[in-house]
Structures are given as C-alpha cells and as structure tokens.
Amino acid sequence: MKFFKKSEDTEQAAKIEDLGRMIDAAGMPPDVKKIAEQELETLSRISPSSAEYTIGITYIDYLVGMPWNKKTEDNLDISRAEKILNKEHYGLHKIKERILEHLSVKVLRAARKPHILVVDDEEIARKNLTHILAKENYEVATASNGEEALKELGSSEFDVVITDLKMPGIDGMEILEKIKTKNPDTKVIMITGYATVPSAVEAMQKGAFNYISKPFKLDEVRTTMKNALEKKMQMRSARGSVLCFAGPPGTGKTSMGRAIATALGRKFVRISLGGMKDEAEIRGHRRTYVGAKPGRIIEEIRRVESANPVIMLDEIDKIGQDFKGDPASALLEVLDPEQNHSFVDHYLDVPFDLSSVMFIVTANVIHNIPSPLRDRMEVIEFSGYTQEEKTRIAMQFLIPKQIKEKGLYEHQPSFTEEAVYKIIQEYTHEAGIRNLERKIASICRKIARELVQHGKGLEPVEITPKAVERYLGRRKYHFEVIEEGNRVGVTTSLVLTEAGGDIIFVEAVKMKGKKGLILTGSMGDVMRESAQTALSYIRSNAGSLGIPEDFFEHYDIHIHIPAGSIQKDGPSAGLAIVTALVSLMTGQPAIRGIAMTGEITLTGRILPVGGIKEKILAARRARVKAIIIPAKNSMDLEELSDDIKMDIDVHPVDNINEAIDLVISK
Ligand code: ADP
C-alpha cells in the first residue's frame, strides 16, 4: 500500500537502497544483519513523512555506523609499553609493574596454541580428526574411550573437546556433564552418527557447543572448531581484563589509563559514572520516540570507530542510591566476560560484542563498590604523593606541560624548587596533584597575559616564592595543628576520606546537665557509635582514669567534629574521641601535635584501621611530627618506603591507656 507522492517515492527508494548497501558493507554478524534487513524492508513500506519512518532510518543509520568488525591491532611489545608508561609518569614503580604484568599475561594468552582433545573409540575417526586439526596448527591430544578422556582432562587444560557421543562405558554425554561442572569454560563438540542426532540435540541443551555428524565433512569440522575456539578465546582474553584503579583524586589514574591505550595502540574513552542518575545512560533508551539514544558505552564505541578501545569507567564507587534502575547489574552486564560478549543496549536492540574492550574502572574508595562487581576486578591501588614526589612531578612533568599548553615556549618561566614547595604547602591541600597542576596553570596563564598585554617578561620570568604570592595571592592553607596550642578536650585525628587521608579535630565540651551525650558535625553513623563506645569505656573506668565518680551525674557532654567539605565516617576516629573525652573530664590539655588513628573497643583495646599510608601522608602535609597508630598496623609500616616515614615519630599502641599516657600532658 503506497500513499505518498511520486517524488517522495523515488527519494525513499534511493535512501532505502543506500542503506541496504551500507548494511552489506557494515560487517555485521549474520543475525544482526538479518534484523537490519527486516527493519529496512518494513521501512520501505511506510510513509517517509511518518514518525516511525524517521525513527527507523535513524536507527538503521546508527546500526550500520557501529564498528562491528573494526578493531585496532594490539601492539604487544612490552618493552615499548614500559617506555611509554615511564615517559609520562614519575615513580609509581609498583603500579607500572602490575600493569606490565597484566599486559604480559595478555601477550602469552594471545600466543598460546589452542589445545584440543579428540575422543573417539574408532581409531580411523581419531586419526582423521587429528590429521585435519593438526593441519590447522592446533595442539591435539587423543583418547580412545571415556576413562582416558577424563584422565587427560584431569591433567591438562583444553580449549575444545571433540567427543563421540556413543561409546561403551563412559559416553560422550557423561564427559560433557563432567566438563560442564569441572571446566565450564571448555567448549564441547559432539560427534554423532546418523542414529544419534536426537541425543546430540539433548547434548546441546546440556551445554554442548555444537555437533558434527559422521562421516565428517572437512569444512564442517574446520568451521565448527573455529567457531568454538573463537567463543572460547573471547572468554579467555576477557577474563580478569577489568582493572580497577583505586585511590584519591589526582594521583594519575586517568593518565595511566591513557598511557595503557597508547602503549597498546588502542583508542581511549573515558566515561564518568559519577554524575549518572539513570540506568539508561549505561544501557540506552528504547527507540520508541524520536530522540531516543543509546547508552554511553555504545555511543563512545561508535564514536571512536573501534570495537576494542580501552574504556575507562570513572568513579564507579559514586553511582549510588539515588540512581534510577539497577546500576550494578547493568555494569555487571558490561564488565562480566560471561555476559558482555552479547551486551544488549536498549536502543541498539541487538547484541554487541564488548568482549574485546579493555575496561579499566576507577574508584576513590574500593569498599564502596558493590561486591559482585568488585569480585571481577583486579584492584591496583594508587596512593597520595609525598611533598618531595609532588615537587619532582611538578618540575619534571606538570610545569613543562603547562608551559607548552599556555604557549610560553619563547619566554619559558623557570620555577624554583622553593616556589613549587610553597605552592604545595600553602596553596593546595590534597593527596594527589590536581590542584597543584591548576595553580601552576594559573601562574602560566597570568604570565601569558602579562606578556601579551604589557610586553613584559621579555626577560624570562623566574618564579620564586615571592612571585608565587604575587601571582596566587595570599596563602590558602594554614597549619592548624602546629600553629595553635594544646587545649583541654581537643585532640587531633587522622581519618581516611574519599580524597585521601586527612586531619580532623575532635572537640569535646561539658555543660550542666545529666548524663546526656550530644553529637554534632560531620559524623557518619559508625563514628557516632565510636563516641558512644568511648563514653561507656570512660564511665566504666572512671576511677582508674582519675575522673570524679559523680562527674556524669552533673554534666552533659557535647562532641563535635568540625565539618569539612567531605562527610567523615568510619571507626578510626575512636581513639581521638576517647582521648578528647579523658582530657575534658580530667581537665588536662591534650597534645595537639600528636595525631592519632585507631578503632576502640568497650574493653579498651585498639583495633587496626585502614589507610595507614594515606594517613601518614596527611600528617606530613599538616607538618605533624608524631602519630599514634594501632600496634596491629605496624606491619603496614614496614611496607612503606623510607621517604614516607621520614622525620615522623610513629607510636604503635595496643590499648587506650598507652595512648592516654602519650597524649594527655600531665
Ligand atoms: P586521577 O585520574 O587519579 O584523578 P589524573 O590522571 O587526572 O588523576 O592526574 C592528574 C594530573 O597529574 C594529570 O595531569 C597527570 O598527568 C598528572 N600526574 C599524576 N601522577 C603523575 C605522575 N606520577 N607523574 C607525572 N604526572 C602525573
């Protein structure tokens, strides 16, 4: 039924023909191609002025633009990769090593010859198959019955087992069942005689990959084997390919991801999960209305025109409760090698194979990642930098980069080391180097402007500490710990936040009342419980702590954690809370210059906490000279390099009393 005008008719016919050619050229898998052709066929029968037509055309346009079989070829030269990682990053030795190991495993996997086991009780069949398969350059082993096959399967790993269905004793079906429970990744091809086709179908339902019938047709054996291996390889190359870079902002996670892509010769894509509110941003909208869109993953793959880019999913720990839909399961479909070879985006509506994408996810804190996701990742931890590392990174990388970006080639400013140190100390407060880079950029911009506007700087500018003040204004950060004196009821605590380690002050005051406890400030639930525990411990040990018996009858206690930009939680402030309370109740000042971390128990023990390295870095940023940590964390210290522990006194303690002795000045 045609109801449009002649000119529209020919225009439509031409468009449809065009799309038909594009479908042919797109390299789609057969089932996708079929769907695209059906869709096109439907379109040829509806009016080009209808909304469906527009939606349909846009859709097919989109489908043919996907890189169905376009991939970049991997460069697996590990020495070259090492050079690239080194060229762009200072330090990070352990991280670079882990990454190179990860890439090396990829190389080895890519180089391994496929291993195949042929099981048949007929000698002639075994010989024929071995002959065909060995010619394809596969590593072939044989077994003449079920028992032998199981023995082989127990001693080495096979990619594909090709087995006769009907054998005396242990038959093909039983072998299949054993493989499916023990080596579920191994693909099984059944060999059937004429009479056993129905059982072969049953075998497929039980998880066999396919079947071939006797007498063998050469081509059939070859293609079936090739398909089975392809499926197997997809899973193998994908397994464990999800790297997770965890650490504070500005520690080089993104730029390391980019360097990996450069090293492999792959396209690089970065998708931030942080601001996402809706599952459709991952999985796409159904194409029922004009303007429906695919999810970000499919969109980015289409944009970079490659089916195997490195995709960095940023801030996976930030997708949270207010998310519409089920983000964890959507991401699982994307990241899980068992599922992602046929990822269905709602808009695309046909499966797209994501198994050759290399996914790297980033997170600030690992324990915020849903555990089904975390289980599938290889976590590599990035940590904050020391002042000395920051200075060196700035001198060697950030400053040359900014000079280049701001076009200051001719009149390159030279930064003195003291100036860089001043920026780090007085204008930034961070574990990473994001703000440091911003400050350097800001100075370079100002120099560029002076140069252009006033013709100044014809003499190259030297950036000294004084110049820093001129360009950046007054210092932004002060050292609250060392610049203020000891006080009653105030202690210094080391905590771990999403932005790395940090220093907070616990303040406690008393006022007339009756046994009340008021908690305010940026405290999460766990920290509130620590405060309760601290108070109960003190009340039950009041006598030995030198606190008057009737103290609690006459006073309310108020504990406050001054709010920072980031909510703080976790049990590790327990030790600072309990010492602040003891200081308050005994009226003796607490030493401000000792920062502490530790979880407390009702019986006064101190339990280990996480993030020791980040906390020590935070202490050093605040110029704290002494810290108290749980004795059980002493092991973490041993793993740290000397320049991190340099000029800081670490006191490991086992119980609250030891800490009180150190902190309360008598
Ligand atoms: P993240 O992704 O962890 O937030 P980025 O990768 O964005 O951090 O790093 C911030 C900036 O610091 C980038 O310009 C990056 O190149 C630079 N950078 C971080 N670590 C290093 C390092 N070790 N050596 C050189 N540059 C670094």
Side-chain angles (χ1 to χ4, degrees):
M1 183 178 46
K2 298 199 172 179
F3 46 84
F4 41 81
K5 289 199 302 280
K6 189 81 186 140
S7 64
E8 270 181 352
D9 200 350
T10 43
E11 212 174 279
Q12 181 184 17
K15 177 78 195 163
I16 301 262
E17 209 170 287
D18 239 17
L19 283 176
R21 269 194 302 273
M22 283 156 89
I23 291 174
D24 283 339
M28 299 170 171
D31 32 345
V32 174
K33 189 167 175 222
K34 213 189 272 164
I35 292 172
E37 281 166 350
Q38 276 164 5
E39 191 78 15
L40 194 62
E41 156 73 22
T42 317
L43 285 184
S44 69
R45 280 183 277 112
I46 59 177
S47 161
S49 51
S50 67
E52 282 103 312
Y53 183 80
T54 318
I55 293 173
I57 291 285
T58 319
Y59 171 64
I60 296 179
D61 251 341
Y62 204 93
L63 273 190
V64 297
M66 287 302 293
W68 294 100
N69 59 2
K70 266 193 233 160
K71 287 185 191 170
T72 52
E73 193 163 329
D74 277 347
N75 186 328
L76 293 170
D77 179 345
I78 295 294
S79 313
R80 176 175 164 274
E82 186 175 8
K83 274 194 205 114
I84 291 175
L85 297 190
N86 281 334
K87 193 174 135 235
E88 290 172 20
H89 297 94
Y90 173 87
L92 303 177
H93 298 297
K94 273 200 192 134
I95 289 169
K96 288 176 189 161
E97 232 152 65
R98 285 279 298 279
I99 290 173
L100 291 173
E101 282 161 18
H102 188 87
L103 296 182
S104 304
V105 171
K106 247 185 154 57
V107 175
L108 286 181
R109 278 177 178 162
R112 179 178 176 266
K113 260 193 196 179
H115 284 41
I116 290 159
L117 178 64
V118 174
V119 190
D120 202 311
D121 55 343
E122 254 181 81
E123 192 182 347
I124 181 80
R126 276 200 311 275
K127 272 200 171 143
N128 274 341
L129 278 174
T130 310
H131 182 71
I132 302 171
L133 296 173
K135 253 190 161 164
E136 298 290 309
N137 207 15
Y138 303 141
E139 188 86 36
V140 187
T142 56
S144 60
N145 55 48
E147 285 81 6
E148 268 183 47
L150 293 184
K151 224 159 117 197
E152 283 284 346
L153 281 164
S155 62
S156 46
E157 194 194 323
F158 292 96
D159 299 298
V160 180
V161 174
I162 176 164
T163 175
D164 198 357
L165 192 52
K166 230 174 134 206
M167 288 182 294
I170 297 175
D171 67 357
M173 201 67 90
E174 210 175 325
I175 294 179
L176 171 68
E177 280 161 10
K178 285 259 158 56
I179 290 176
K180 284 295 132 193
T181 49
K182 279 211 182 121
N183 333 50
D185 289 354
T186 303
K187 301 281 161 220
V188 183
I189 299 172
M190 312 304 284
I191 307 171
T192 63
Y194 174 69
T196 48
V197 170
S199 343
V201 174
E202 188 196 332
M204 299 265 301
Q205 282 160 356
K206 285 191 174 160
F209 177 76
N210 209 338
Y211 63 88
I212 51 179
S213 36
K214 275 185 197 172
F216 309 122
K217 287 184 217 78
L218 272 184
D219 275 349
E220 193 185 359
V221 174
R222 273 198 217 111
T223 8
T224 312
M225 183 56 74
K226 222 171 117 207
N227 292 342
L229 278 170
E230 217 160 75
K231 261 266 132 41
K232 170 72 212 270
M233 293 309 163
Q234 276 172 0
M235 286 165 69
R236 199 171 62 185
S237 66
R239 174 94 0 114
S241 70
V242 181
L243 285 174
C244 173
F245 291 174
T251 47
K253 301 184 292 298
T254 309
S255 74
M256 200 54 109
R258 211 178 285 270
I260 292 178
T262 313
L264 286 172
R266 292 191 184 203
K267 298 277 171 52
F268 182 75
V269 169
R270 184 168 165 227
I271 297 174
S272 176
L273 300 175
M276 280 194 186
K277 286 271 175 275
D278 192 337
E279 195 182 324
E281 293 183 60
I282 299 172
R283 233 197 288 248
H285 290 282
R286 289 182 200 287
R287 54 168 205 289
T288 41
Y289 61 94
V290 181
K293 274 197 329 191
R296 287 292 307 282
I297 306 223
I298 289 298
E299 206 148 65
E300 290 295 329
I301 287 181
R302 188 173 189 268
R303 187 178 63 79
V304 299
E305 296 176 4
S306 162
N308 66 339
V310 173
I311 296 188
M312 181 164 253
L313 297 172
D314 247 342
E315 304 195 306
I316 199 167
D317 53 338
K318 297 282 161 51
I319 44 167
Q321 288 72 29
D322 55 346
F323 199 91
K324 215 167 95 200
D326 182 357
S329 85
L331 281 174
L332 208 56
E333 269 184 55
V334 171
L335 297 174
D336 185 359
E338 306 275 328
Q339 305 178 45
N340 72 5
H341 52 84
S342 56
F343 171 70
V344 179
D345 179 283
H346 287 329
Y347 180 84
L348 217 55
D349 212 16
V350 289
F352 190 86
D353 184 356
L354 296 179
S355 64
S356 41
V357 173
M358 176 172 182
F359 285 103
I360 303 178
V361 306
T362 78
N364 291 141
V365 208
I366 322 168
H367 60 247
N368 288 355
I369 306 175
S371 62
L373 282 173
R374 205 179 342 154
D375 293 346
R376 284 171 175 75
M377 296 171 184
E378 183 180 344
V379 177
I380 298 186
E381 295 205 33
F382 283 62
S383 51
Y385 295 113
T386 61
Q387 329 277 70
E388 295 72 26
E389 282 172 322
K390 287 182 185 179
T391 312
R392 261 166 268 155
I393 296 174
M395 300 295 276
Q396 289 175 27
F397 293 88
L398 305 182
I399 294 172
K401 189 165 122 196
Q402 288 305 327
I403 287 178
K404 210 163 124 197
E405 267 180 26
K406 304 293 177 287
L408 296 171
Y409 313 95
E410 307 258 319
H411 301 281
Q412 297 201 2
S414 62
F415 284 69
T416 66
E417 221 165 273
E418 294 74 36
V420 172
Y421 200 74
K422 186 179 170 78
I423 303 176
I424 295 169
Q425 283 284 342
E426 298 176 15
Y427 295 84
T428 68
H429 178 80
E430 58 181 352
I433 49 177
R434 235 183 232 177
N435 287 322
L436 173 59
E437 187 170 24
R438 277 194 203 125
K439 295 291 170 202
I440 293 170
S442 161
I443 293 179
C444 290
R445 251 194 324 269
K446 289 188 165 131
I447 296 173
R449 179 179 163 189
E450 279 176 358
L451 196 67
V452 174
Q453 196 172 3
H454 308 298
K456 256 196 208 169
L458 289 176
E459 290 284 300
V461 191
E462 184 177 54
I463 306 295
T464 57
K466 236 193 160 68
V468 168
E469 235 169 82
R470 188 152 51 80
Y471 285 113
L472 296 181
R474 292 208 317 176
R475 66 192 285 189
K476 291 252 156 43
Y477 295 100
H478 290 267
F479 302 101
E480 285 180 81
V481 181
I482 51 166
E483 285 171 5
E484 285 184 38
N486 299 341
R487 301 232 308 265
V488 170
V490 181
T491 54
T492 308
S493 178
L494 289 168
V495 291
L496 191 63
T497 72
E498 282 168 10
D502 207 353
I503 292 257
I504 60 172
F505 299 102
V506 175
E507 299 177 350
V509 294
K510 61 183 181 184
M511 53 217 157
K512 288 233 151 43
K514 256 187 179 313
K515 297 189 195 168
L517 176 63
I518 305 166
L519 302 171
T520 57
S522 66
M523 289 192 186
D525 290 341
V526 182
M527 205 184 272
R528 285 167 189 276
E529 280 174 17
S530 296
Q532 295 281 2
T533 309
L535 189 60
S536 299
Y537 170 78
I538 292 176
R539 284 180 62 181
S540 61
N541 293 281
S544 64
L545 290 167
I547 295 164
E549 279 294 319
D550 57 349
F551 179 93
F552 302 97
E553 300 298 326
H554 305 299
Y555 291 107
D556 281 347
I557 308 274
H558 184 164
I559 302 174
H560 180 70
I561 310 273
S565 52
I566 297 170
Q567 166 91 7
K568 281 118 193 157
D569 199 13
S572 67
L575 186 55
I577 295 175
V578 81
T579 45
L581 289 179
V582 172
S583 158
L584 173 74
M585 293 172 193
T586 56
Q588 289 159 328
I591 299 173
R592 199 179 177 88
I594 301 183
M596 61 201 107
T597 180
E599 176 176 355
I600 53 171
T601 71
L602 271 179
T603 54
R605 285 184 309 130
I606 294 179
L607 304 181
V609 293
I612 291 294
K613 179 175 178 189
E614 292 302 329
K615 287 172 180 170
I616 294 185
L617 287 172
R620 293 195 53 193
R621 278 201 292 282
R623 298 199 185 164
V624 166
K625 295 286 178 217
I627 62 170
I628 300 177
I629 64 166
K632 294 199 176 66
N633 277 116
S634 299
M635 253 164 23
D636 298 338
L637 278 185
E638 283 160 28
E639 287 170 15
L640 301 182
S641 64
D642 289 337
D643 57 337
I644 291 176
K645 295 177 277 190
M646 200 169 59
D647 54 56
I648 200 156
D649 272 339
V650 183
H651 303 278
V653 295
D654 251 328
N655 57 59
I656 293 178
N657 283 334
E658 287 173 51
I660 290 174
D661 286 344
L662 289 163
V663 177
I664 308 288
S665 59
K666 300 244 161 72

